[in-house]
């Protein structure tokens, strides 16, 4: 085909002659805040020049749903902004058919991995817990998937996340006392969902219970592993039902318009990311079924 023929062919049938790069495609999908932030971060070239890329493009709503303080921090810290945006990009073309549950993939942010989850027989597919709402939009230099939330890169495992949170200090102390770092944080962590009771929740246990637990390693292990569900369940992936813990016991999760409960505990903060899964803060210590001594 000669050039002028090719050009007229493209004019007639633009679908066959993709001329939009991944940023153009994101823009066509309405992700204008993302474009503005890519520009502010100075990474337009990174996303438009070079090898093919896969962009998980947060919608405008996704950015406006971020806490105002987080958005302000991103806007004020160019390096942090660039890091967070690169965390949404993979090398190569990754189409939705190539995604799998608990798939872990390196991102453009050095040393950082992302996690894909597939829930509810494929009805809900997430990238770092952010639901993919439009997938497989081809671009000249890659492919774009639109997502409905922005997730910041995890800083360590779910146990590290517990350690950093001042209101989870009892849980952290208990994990260390139980020697559970290997199960809950590595060296080869299996993906899990940690339901993390607050200090207030531990303090609400009957008098003496907490001290007794901290002095009884096997009871503590039983109790803490009961708070770790097998597999990464971001809130968007949870539906009402029973879920297996890492030790094969089961917890009952209920999801409705008022929120998420686990047995009789309420999730008060959802979706704290970790490299080995996700943490949800709960307002009560879960009570183990039968055999457990401290109920
Ligand atoms: C997108 O590109 C892939 C391969 O590069 C191709 O298989 C697919 O048909 C394209 N989709 C559209 C809608 O053009
Ligand atoms: C990650 O956590 C460590 C402490 O665990 C902290 O010193 C560091 O500032 C955190 N990094 C980010 C980017 O939040
Ligand atoms: C945890 O999930 C994995 C993957 O689905 C499965 O192979 C394993 O048996 C599960 N473990 C428990 C204790 O349910």
């Amino acid at each position: 085909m000669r050039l002028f023929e090719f050009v007229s062919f493209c004019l007639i049938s633009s679908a066959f002659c993709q001329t939009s790069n991944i940023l153009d495609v994101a823009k066509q999908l309405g992700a204008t805040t993302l474009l503005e932030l890519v520009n502010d971060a100075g990474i337009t070239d990174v996303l438009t020049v070079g090898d093919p890329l896969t962009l998980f493009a947060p919608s405008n709503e996704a950015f406006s749903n971020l806490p105002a303080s987080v958005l302000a921090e991103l806007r004020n810290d160019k390096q942090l902004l660039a890091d967070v945006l690169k965390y949404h990009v993979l090398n190569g073309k990754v189409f939705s058919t190539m995604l799998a549950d608990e798939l872990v993939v390196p991102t453009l942010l050095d040393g950082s991995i992302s996690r894909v989850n597939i829930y509810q027989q494929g009805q809900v597919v997430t990238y770092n817990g952010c639901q993919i709402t439009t997938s497989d939009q081809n671009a000249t230099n890659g492919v774009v998937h639109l997502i409905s939330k922005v997730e910041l890169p995890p800083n360590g495992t779910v146990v590290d996340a517990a350690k950093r949170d001042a209101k989870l200090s009892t849980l952290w102390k208990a994990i260390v006392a139980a020697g559970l770092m290997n199960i809950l944080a590595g060296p080869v962590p299996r993906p899990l969902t940690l339901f993390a009771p607050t200090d207030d929740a531990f303090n609400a246990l009957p008098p003496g219970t907490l001290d007794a637990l901290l002095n009884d390693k096997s009871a503590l292990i039983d109790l803490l592993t009961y708070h770790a569900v097998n597999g990464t369940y971001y809130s968007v992936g949870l539906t009402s039902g029973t879920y297996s813990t890492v030790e094969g016991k089961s917890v009952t999760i209920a999801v409705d318009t008022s929120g998420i409960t686990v047995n009789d505990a309420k999730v008060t903060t959802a979706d704290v990311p970790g490299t080995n899964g996700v943490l949800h803060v709960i307002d009560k210590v879960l009570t183990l079924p039968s055999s457990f001594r401290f109920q």
Side-chain angles (χ1 to χ4, degrees), residues 119-148:
Y119 304 111
Q120 299 158 41
Q121 285 83 46
Q123 286 177 65
V124 176
V125 181
T126 61
Y127 178 79
N128 297 320
C130 309
Q131 188 168 359
I132 299 174
T133 53
T134 303
S135 52
D136 301 327
Q137 302 297 302
N138 282 341
T140 45
N141 68 331
V143 60
V144 180
H145 309 285
L146 198 64
I147 56 176
S148 60

Side-chain angles (χ1 to χ4, degrees), residues 153-199:
N155 184 2
T157 65
V158 291
V159 174
D160 293 319
K163 184 182 177 182
R164 267 195 312 275
D165 189 333
K167 66 181 183 305
L168 302 178
S169 67
T170 309
L171 175 67
W172 163 244
K173 197 163 79 174
I175 289 171
V176 173
L180 276 176
M181 293 299 287
N182 273 359
I183 288 188
L184 300 180
V188 184
R190 46 180 160 179
L192 55 85
T193 303
L194 183 62
F195 289 100
T198 58
D199 290 351

